[in-house]
Amino acid sequence: VPVGHVYFIGAGPGAPDLLTLRGRDILARADLVIYADSLVHPALCEFARPGAEIIGSSALTLEEIVHRTIAAAAAGRTVARLQSGDPAIYGAIHEQMVRLDAAGIPWTIVPGVSSAFAAAALLGVELTVPEVTQTVILSRVSGRASPVPPLEELRGLAAHQASLVLFLSVTHMSRVVAGLREGGYPEDTPVAVVYRATWEDEQVVWGTLQDIVAAVRAAKFIKQALILVGPALKDRQTLAGHRSRLYSPSHSHLFRQAGDMPQD
Ligand code: SAH
């Protein structure tokens, strides 16, 4: 039989209607669906065709997942790996792609809506407010089994005072806030912690460096939460003076000529 194909599909942050049309169409023709059952909404499995084999990955080791994926694809089947958010962010797909390469199995990544952007949408913020910050850093603090390279320690990242989105870190709030302080974010910098963005039970806790540790402790978030930090999260009135020059009357571009204003 001709060899099958493996698709790593970004399922989005939770709400089933945030799956892409491309992801849905591949899901509809997959023979085997392996989904991250802790973070991927079970309703997404309803897009699979009747008769497709569906497995939750939480009970399996990476070896078992890869073994079943390779066995199915080698037998000519189409495999859909449904991952939370976008597969490129903490999706643990690198190690799987290496093994699929070694086994001669072709694969494709289908992007998804990362929880980072679902959280920004829920907060109602632009992470790149003109003249406030033009950079978004996606990172995490180190965990028991997942060290972060020394050059990426939070203190160093915080020194940019850009917009910062931290995954997998909500159980380390004190360490997070210490790193933000050492990096130099002012004490009144807004911090938002978003729990299960786009799920039925989503929740947001707002604070600053001063009070966010206590607020998160009171809310009892211990997983499935993101920490967003930075001046772009200040309230809209405070930031109201900032606007993009792209849309300002003095800026010329290809489709619109400014009058006799200075151009750049
Ligand atoms: N690839 C995923 C991230 C996987 S790592 C993405 O792009 O979103 C798992 C971590 O992502 C969780 O510990 C949490 O920090 C974050 N996360 C995933 N879904 C989330 C959601 N709906 N709301 C808040 N955080 C979420």
Side-chain angles (χ1 to χ4, degrees):
V1 288
V3 67
H5 202 98
V6 176
Y7 294 91
F8 297 100
I9 301 175
D17 60 346
L18 286 173
L19 175 69
T20 65
L21 299 180
R22 182 179 299 184
R24 184 196 62 187
D25 291 347
I26 293 168
L27 207 48
R29 60 184 173 79
D31 304 300
L32 170 61
V33 177
I34 304 180
Y35 77 108
D37 38 0
S38 53
L39 277 170
V40 170
H41 202 291
L44 287 174
C45 295
E46 291 165 20
F47 292 125
R49 66 170 174 77
E53 185 184 357
I54 300 176
I55 311 177
S57 62
S58 66
L60 304 177
T61 64
L62 182 73
E63 281 67 28
E64 288 167 332
I65 293 171
V66 172
H67 178 78
R68 297 184 77 143
T69 301
I70 290 178
R77 299 168 81 195
T78 297
V79 182
R81 290 276 291 113
L82 263 184
Q83 319 247 153
S84 78
D86 185 282
I89 308 293
Y90 306 111
I93 56 172
H94 176 81
E95 53 212 286
Q96 300 179 50
M97 298 184 299
V98 167
R99 292 172 205 202
L100 292 175
D101 286 343
I105 309 266
W107 47 265
T108 304
I109 302 172
V110 178
V113 177
S114 175
S115 59
F117 304 114
L122 181 59
L123 298 176
V125 298
E126 174 174 355
L127 297 174
T128 56
V129 179
E131 292 168 38
V132 176
T133 178
Q134 293 292 286
T135 302
V136 182
I137 297 173
L138 307 181
S139 191
R140 63 171 297 170
V141 295
S142 54
R144 248 174 313 152
S146 1
V148 167
L151 288 174
E152 298 164 27
E153 271 174 21
L154 190 52
R155 178 182 351 134
L157 304 180
H160 297 285
Q161 294 185 38
S163 292
L164 187 57
V165 182
L166 298 176
F167 293 74
L168 299 159
S169 302
V170 76
T171 51
H172 307 290
M173 282 308 294
S174 307
R175 186 145 55 91
V176 165
V177 169
L180 298 174
R181 285 204 169 107
E182 287 167 35
Y185 279 106
E187 284 295 302
D188 65 348
T189 303
V191 182
V193 176
V194 179
Y195 171 76
R196 283 169 64 87
T198 80
W199 292 72
E200 294 81 354
D201 54 352
E202 70 185 5
Q203 257 178 275
V204 177
V205 167
W206 279 100
T208 64
L209 296 198
Q210 275 160 349
D211 55 17
I212 196 67
V213 174
V216 169
R217 191 177 302 133
K220 298 194 166 72
F221 300 154
I222 53 159
K223 56 180 181 168
Q224 296 180 30
L226 287 173
I227 306 163
L228 290 87
V229 186
L233 273 60
K234 287 185 182 161
D235 76 86
R236 276 187 295 286
Q237 287 315 313
T238 310
L239 295 177
H242 300 285
R243 55 185 288 180
S244 170
R245 296 176 70 186
L246 189 61
Y247 301 106
S248 91
S250 63
H251 183 87
S252 247
H253 61 65
L254 209 53
F255 305 106
R256 189 164 51 76
Q257 284 292 319
D260 48 7
M261 306 291 283
Q263 301 186 0
D264 62 356

